[in-house]
Amino acid sequence: MTDLTSLKYTAEHEWIALDGDVATVGITDYAADKLGDVVFVELPGVDSGVSAGQVCGEIESTKSVGELYAPLTGDIIAINSAVVDDPSLVNSDPYGEGWLLKLRVDTSAPAELLDREAYIALTGGDA
């Protein structure tokens, strides 16, 4: 079980696990629940650069299509091909096997991330 208090969050409902300058990114269970059954995931290419707040992918569900925003500035170093092959992992294990991408963070770029308490407040206590 992932310690959700150790993660950072965005207002766009992404979670970020930082390990040095590498960030693993996924969407929260709150977002996965709001989306409904995820049926398609499009992720950026490895070695591409992203800027914080930039759209870098797409998540399509039976209810709607949502955009994936880069939570931080950096270079994509890995994507989760298992999620591309089986998008339902986003719903079944959003903090584990449903991770989406890893990026090497540009630590000189500012980041506006939320802690768990702030994220829960953002969702009105539903997260």
Short mmCIF file of all heavy atoms in Angstrom, two decimals, residues 1-2 4 7 15 24-27 32 38 41 43 79-102:
data_model
loop_
_atom_site.label_atom_id
_atom_site.label_comp_id
_atom_site.label_asym_id
_atom_site.label_seq_id
_atom_site.Cartn_x
_atom_site.Cartn_y
_atom_site.Cartn_z
N MET A 1 0.85 -1.19 0.00
CA MET A 1 0.00 0.00 0.00
C MET A 1 0.89 1.24 0.00
O MET A 1 1.81 1.35 0.79
CB MET A 1 -0.90 -0.03 1.23
CG MET A 1 -1.75 1.19 1.40
SD MET A 1 -3.27 0.99 0.48
CE MET A 1 -3.98 2.59 0.66
N THR A 2 0.61 2.12 -0.90
CA THR A 2 1.36 3.36 -1.01
C THR A 2 0.97 4.31 0.13
O THR A 2 -0.19 4.45 0.46
CB THR A 2 1.04 4.04 -2.36
OG1 THR A 2 1.38 3.13 -3.40
CG2 THR A 2 1.80 5.33 -2.52
N LEU A 4 0.02 7.50 1.01
CA LEU A 4 -0.50 8.63 0.25
C LEU A 4 -0.04 9.97 0.81
O LEU A 4 -0.01 10.96 0.09
CB LEU A 4 -2.03 8.57 0.19
CG LEU A 4 -2.61 7.31 -0.46
CD1 LEU A 4 -4.12 7.38 -0.49
CD2 LEU A 4 -2.04 7.07 -1.84
N LEU A 7 3.15 11.42 -0.92
CA LEU A 7 3.05 11.88 -2.31
C LEU A 7 2.75 13.37 -2.35
O LEU A 7 2.27 13.96 -1.39
CB LEU A 7 1.93 11.13 -3.02
CG LEU A 7 2.05 9.61 -3.07
CD1 LEU A 7 0.80 9.01 -3.71
CD2 LEU A 7 3.30 9.16 -3.78
N TRP A 15 -0.86 12.57 -9.03
CA TRP A 15 0.00 12.35 -7.87
C TRP A 15 1.43 12.24 -8.37
O TRP A 15 1.68 11.84 -9.51
CB TRP A 15 -0.42 11.14 -7.04
CG TRP A 15 -0.42 9.82 -7.77
CD1 TRP A 15 -1.50 9.19 -8.31
CD2 TRP A 15 0.71 8.96 -8.03
NE1 TRP A 15 -1.12 8.02 -8.91
CE2 TRP A 15 0.24 7.84 -8.74
CE3 TRP A 15 2.06 9.03 -7.73
CZ2 TRP A 15 1.08 6.80 -9.14
CZ3 TRP A 15 2.91 8.00 -8.14
CH2 TRP A 15 2.41 6.91 -8.83
N THR A 24 7.69 9.90 -10.36
CA THR A 24 6.72 8.97 -10.92
C THR A 24 5.36 9.64 -10.80
O THR A 24 5.04 10.20 -9.76
CB THR A 24 6.74 7.64 -10.16
OG1 THR A 24 8.06 7.09 -10.21
CG2 THR A 24 5.76 6.64 -10.76
N VAL A 25 4.59 9.58 -11.88
CA VAL A 25 3.34 10.34 -11.96
C VAL A 25 2.18 9.41 -12.32
O VAL A 25 2.32 8.51 -13.15
CB VAL A 25 3.46 11.44 -13.04
CG1 VAL A 25 2.15 12.20 -13.19
CG2 VAL A 25 4.61 12.39 -12.72
N GLY A 26 1.06 9.65 -11.70
CA GLY A 26 -0.18 8.95 -12.04
C GLY A 26 -1.35 9.86 -11.74
O GLY A 26 -1.16 11.02 -11.36
N ILE A 27 -2.56 9.37 -11.93
CA ILE A 27 -3.71 10.16 -11.51
C ILE A 27 -4.27 9.54 -10.24
O ILE A 27 -4.11 8.35 -9.98
CB ILE A 27 -4.80 10.27 -12.61
CG1 ILE A 27 -5.44 8.92 -12.91
CG2 ILE A 27 -4.24 10.92 -13.85
CD1 ILE A 27 -6.72 9.03 -13.75
N ALA A 32 -9.62 8.95 -11.01
CA ALA A 32 -9.98 7.70 -11.70
C ALA A 32 -11.45 7.38 -11.47
O ALA A 32 -12.15 6.95 -12.39
CB ALA A 32 -9.08 6.56 -11.21
N VAL A 38 -11.64 3.59 -17.41
CA VAL A 38 -10.66 4.10 -18.37
C VAL A 38 -10.49 3.06 -19.47
O VAL A 38 -10.28 1.88 -19.21
CB VAL A 38 -9.32 4.41 -17.68
CG1 VAL A 38 -8.27 4.82 -18.70
CG2 VAL A 38 -9.51 5.52 -16.64
N VAL A 41 -5.40 5.18 -22.95
CA VAL A 41 -4.41 6.09 -22.37
C VAL A 41 -3.38 6.41 -23.44
O VAL A 41 -2.82 5.49 -24.07
CB VAL A 41 -3.71 5.46 -21.14
CG1 VAL A 41 -2.61 6.37 -20.63
CG2 VAL A 41 -4.72 5.18 -20.03
N LEU A 43 0.18 8.45 -23.84
CA LEU A 43 1.26 9.05 -23.05
C LEU A 43 2.31 9.66 -23.96
O LEU A 43 2.42 9.26 -25.13
CB LEU A 43 1.89 7.96 -22.16
CG LEU A 43 0.94 7.32 -21.14
CD1 LEU A 43 1.62 6.16 -20.45
CD2 LEU A 43 0.46 8.35 -20.13
N ILE A 79 7.63 5.44 -19.69
CA ILE A 79 6.17 5.43 -19.64
C ILE A 79 5.75 4.02 -19.25
O ILE A 79 6.51 3.05 -19.43
CB ILE A 79 5.53 5.83 -20.98
CG1 ILE A 79 5.92 4.85 -22.08
CG2 ILE A 79 5.87 7.27 -21.34
CD1 ILE A 79 5.06 4.98 -23.32
N ASN A 80 4.56 3.91 -18.71
CA ASN A 80 4.06 2.60 -18.29
C ASN A 80 3.30 1.96 -19.45
O ASN A 80 2.11 2.22 -19.64
CB ASN A 80 3.16 2.77 -17.06
CG ASN A 80 2.75 1.45 -16.46
OD1 ASN A 80 3.04 0.39 -17.01
ND2 ASN A 80 2.07 1.51 -15.33
N SER A 81 3.99 1.14 -20.20
CA SER A 81 3.35 0.49 -21.36
C SER A 81 2.27 -0.48 -20.92
O SER A 81 1.34 -0.77 -21.69
CB SER A 81 4.39 -0.20 -22.24
OG SER A 81 5.10 -1.16 -21.49
N ALA A 82 2.33 -0.97 -19.69
CA ALA A 82 1.29 -1.88 -19.19
C ALA A 82 -0.06 -1.15 -19.15
O ALA A 82 -1.10 -1.75 -19.42
CB ALA A 82 1.66 -2.41 -17.81
N VAL A 83 -0.04 0.15 -18.81
CA VAL A 83 -1.27 0.93 -18.76
C VAL A 83 -1.81 1.18 -20.17
O VAL A 83 -3.01 1.19 -20.39
CB VAL A 83 -1.04 2.25 -18.00
CG1 VAL A 83 -2.15 3.24 -18.24
CG2 VAL A 83 -0.89 1.99 -16.52
N VAL A 84 -0.89 1.38 -21.12
CA VAL A 84 -1.32 1.58 -22.50
C VAL A 84 -2.00 0.30 -23.00
O VAL A 84 -3.04 0.37 -23.66
CB VAL A 84 -0.11 1.95 -23.40
CG1 VAL A 84 -0.51 2.02 -24.87
CG2 VAL A 84 0.49 3.28 -22.94
N ASP A 85 -1.43 -0.85 -22.64
CA ASP A 85 -2.01 -2.13 -23.06
C ASP A 85 -3.28 -2.47 -22.29
O ASP A 85 -4.17 -3.12 -22.81
CB ASP A 85 -0.99 -3.26 -22.86
CG ASP A 85 0.21 -3.12 -23.77
OD1 ASP A 85 0.12 -2.40 -24.80
OD2 ASP A 85 1.26 -3.71 -23.45
N ASP A 86 -3.35 -2.06 -21.02
CA ASP A 86 -4.50 -2.37 -20.17
C ASP A 86 -4.88 -1.12 -19.37
O ASP A 86 -4.50 -0.98 -18.20
CB ASP A 86 -4.16 -3.53 -19.22
CG ASP A 86 -5.33 -3.91 -18.33
OD1 ASP A 86 -6.45 -3.37 -18.51
OD2 ASP A 86 -5.13 -4.75 -17.44
N PRO A 87 -5.63 -0.20 -19.98
CA PRO A 87 -5.98 1.05 -19.31
C PRO A 87 -6.75 0.87 -18.00
O PRO A 87 -6.77 1.78 -17.17
CB PRO A 87 -6.83 1.79 -20.35
CG PRO A 87 -6.45 1.20 -21.65
CD PRO A 87 -6.13 -0.24 -21.35
N SER A 88 -7.36 -0.27 -17.79
CA SER A 88 -8.13 -0.48 -16.56
C SER A 88 -7.24 -0.46 -15.32
O SER A 88 -7.74 -0.31 -14.20
CB SER A 88 -8.90 -1.80 -16.62
OG SER A 88 -8.01 -2.91 -16.56
N LEU A 89 -5.91 -0.57 -15.50
CA LEU A 89 -4.99 -0.47 -14.35
C LEU A 89 -5.11 0.89 -13.67
O LEU A 89 -4.86 1.01 -12.48
CB LEU A 89 -3.55 -0.71 -14.80
CG LEU A 89 -3.19 -2.13 -15.22
CD1 LEU A 89 -1.80 -2.17 -15.82
CD2 LEU A 89 -3.31 -3.08 -14.03
N VAL A 90 -5.48 1.92 -14.43
CA VAL A 90 -5.66 3.26 -13.85
C VAL A 90 -6.76 3.23 -12.80
O VAL A 90 -6.66 3.87 -11.75
CB VAL A 90 -5.96 4.30 -14.94
CG1 VAL A 90 -6.33 5.65 -14.34
CG2 VAL A 90 -4.77 4.44 -15.88
N ASN A 91 -7.80 2.45 -13.06
CA ASN A 91 -8.90 2.34 -12.10
C ASN A 91 -8.59 1.35 -10.98
O ASN A 91 -8.89 1.62 -9.81
CB ASN A 91 -10.19 1.87 -12.80
CG ASN A 91 -10.69 2.88 -13.80
OD1 ASN A 91 -10.58 2.63 -14.98
ND2 ASN A 91 -11.22 3.99 -13.35
N SER A 92 -7.99 0.22 -11.32
CA SER A 92 -7.82 -0.84 -10.33
C SER A 92 -6.66 -0.61 -9.37
O SER A 92 -6.70 -1.08 -8.23
CB SER A 92 -7.65 -2.19 -11.03
OG SER A 92 -6.46 -2.22 -11.80
N ASP A 93 -5.62 0.11 -9.80
CA ASP A 93 -4.45 0.32 -8.94
C ASP A 93 -3.78 1.65 -9.31
O ASP A 93 -2.64 1.67 -9.78
CB ASP A 93 -3.47 -0.85 -9.11
CG ASP A 93 -2.39 -0.88 -8.06
OD1 ASP A 93 -2.48 -0.10 -7.06
OD2 ASP A 93 -1.44 -1.66 -8.21
N PRO A 94 -4.49 2.78 -9.08
CA PRO A 94 -3.96 4.07 -9.55
C PRO A 94 -2.64 4.47 -8.92
O PRO A 94 -1.85 5.19 -9.54
CB PRO A 94 -5.07 5.07 -9.19
CG PRO A 94 -5.85 4.41 -8.12
CD PRO A 94 -5.76 2.94 -8.40
N TYR A 95 -2.36 4.01 -7.71
CA TYR A 95 -1.11 4.40 -7.03
C TYR A 95 -0.02 3.33 -7.17
O TYR A 95 1.08 3.50 -6.65
CB TYR A 95 -1.37 4.66 -5.55
CG TYR A 95 -2.32 5.81 -5.32
CD1 TYR A 95 -3.64 5.58 -4.96
CD2 TYR A 95 -1.89 7.13 -5.47
CE1 TYR A 95 -4.51 6.62 -4.75
CE2 TYR A 95 -2.76 8.19 -5.27
CZ TYR A 95 -4.08 7.93 -4.90
OH TYR A 95 -4.94 8.97 -4.70
N GLY A 96 -0.33 2.25 -7.84
CA GLY A 96 0.64 1.16 -7.99
C GLY A 96 0.90 0.90 -9.46
O GLY A 96 1.57 1.69 -10.14
N GLU A 97 0.33 -0.21 -9.96
CA GLU A 97 0.58 -0.60 -11.35
C GLU A 97 -0.04 0.35 -12.36
O GLU A 97 0.26 0.27 -13.54
CB GLU A 97 0.10 -2.02 -11.58
CG GLU A 97 0.91 -3.03 -10.78
CD GLU A 97 0.61 -4.46 -11.16
OE1 GLU A 97 0.17 -4.69 -12.30
OE2 GLU A 97 0.84 -5.32 -10.31
N GLY A 98 -0.88 1.28 -11.89
CA GLY A 98 -1.50 2.25 -12.79
C GLY A 98 -0.73 3.54 -12.95
O GLY A 98 -1.25 4.50 -13.51
N TRP A 99 0.54 3.56 -12.51
CA TRP A 99 1.35 4.78 -12.73
C TRP A 99 1.45 5.03 -14.23
O TRP A 99 1.31 4.11 -15.04
CB TRP A 99 2.73 4.66 -12.08
CG TRP A 99 3.63 3.62 -12.67
CD1 TRP A 99 3.66 2.29 -12.34
CD2 TRP A 99 4.61 3.80 -13.70
NE1 TRP A 99 4.61 1.64 -13.10
CE2 TRP A 99 5.22 2.55 -13.95
CE3 TRP A 99 5.05 4.89 -14.43
CZ2 TRP A 99 6.22 2.36 -14.89
CZ3 TRP A 99 6.07 4.72 -15.37
CH2 TRP A 99 6.64 3.47 -15.60
N LEU A 100 1.69 6.28 -14.60
CA LEU A 100 1.66 6.64 -16.01
C LEU A 100 3.02 6.93 -16.62
O LEU A 100 3.33 6.46 -17.70
CB LEU A 100 0.74 7.85 -16.21
CG LEU A 100 -0.72 7.62 -15.79
CD1 LEU A 100 -1.50 8.91 -15.90
CD2 LEU A 100 -1.35 6.52 -16.63
N LEU A 101 3.81 7.74 -15.95
CA LEU A 101 5.11 8.10 -16.54
C LEU A 101 6.11 8.47 -15.45
O LEU A 101 5.74 8.72 -14.30
CB LEU A 101 4.95 9.26 -17.54
CG LEU A 101 4.28 10.53 -17.04
CD1 LEU A 101 5.29 11.52 -16.49
CD2 LEU A 101 3.50 11.16 -18.18
N LYS A 102 7.36 8.45 -15.86
CA LYS A 102 8.44 8.91 -15.00
C LYS A 102 9.18 10.01 -15.73
O LYS A 102 9.39 9.91 -16.95
CB LYS A 102 9.41 7.78 -14.66
CG LYS A 102 8.77 6.69 -13.82
CD LYS A 102 9.76 5.62 -13.42
CE LYS A 102 9.02 4.52 -12.66
NZ LYS A 102 9.74 4.03 -11.53
#
